[in-house]
Each structure stands twice: as C-alpha cells, then as structure tokens.
Amino acid sequence: MVEQNRRAFKAQFGSCEEVAFDRYWLGTSEDGAYLAFQFHRPDGSIHRFALPNEMVRQFFIEFAGSSDEMGERHLAATFAKVEPKGQA
C-alpha cells in the first residue's frame, strides 16, 4: 500500500524544484499532541503544518521508505556518471 501511494504521489505532485525550501524547523506542541513543521521558502514565505500524534507513526514509516528510495536513486545516478576504471 505504501509503495502504491508513493507512485500515485509522484504522478500528481509536479515539480519538486518549484516548491523546494531552504530552511526548516521541527518541534512539537506544548502538550505533545502535534509534530510541527515550519518550512522557509527562498522567496521569504513561511509554511507551517502540524501533524496529529495519531499520524506520526505512519508518517515516519512513509518517510523512511521515501528517504530510502531517495538514497537508492541518488546512488544509482551517481554510479551512472562514473566511468569504470581498470578491469575486473
């Protein structure tokens, strides 16, 4: 289900470059009921989001999968640019 959601997300999201941010803050609400995010865009705008405690576990499951895929894709792209040296 997570993998299917990830594919659907990529299809509808659009350009990552157009919405990238350059600074962020993370925190929690005073009562611990929310995980809070504050993203700063290069244009000076600030976007705030709060994730309810009940959703945090699933968020981190999906975050772990997405960051793992990001690393795999980055590694594959890096090795695709490297010319082989010598003989095996």
Side-chain angles (χ1 to χ4, degrees), residues 14-74:
S15 171
C16 290
E17 291 81 10
E18 289 179 12
V19 295
F21 59 92
D22 58 1
R23 291 184 300 138
Y24 66 90
W25 280 13
L26 297 176
T28 62
S29 60
E30 288 295 324
D31 61 0
Y34 293 92
L35 177 61
F37 304 85
Q38 181 169 295
F39 300 108
H40 297 249
R41 295 285 316 273
D43 66 5
S45 63
I46 297 172
H47 302 267
R48 294 180 178 101
F49 305 93
L51 190 63
N53 185 43
E54 300 79 28
M55 296 177 68
V56 170
R57 181 181 299 256
Q58 184 63 33
F59 173 81
F60 279 107
I61 290 169
E62 293 188 33
F63 176 83
S66 293
S67 62
D68 187 49
E69 179 184 359
M70 183 181 186
E72 288 173 2
R73 289 178 179 268
H74 182 73

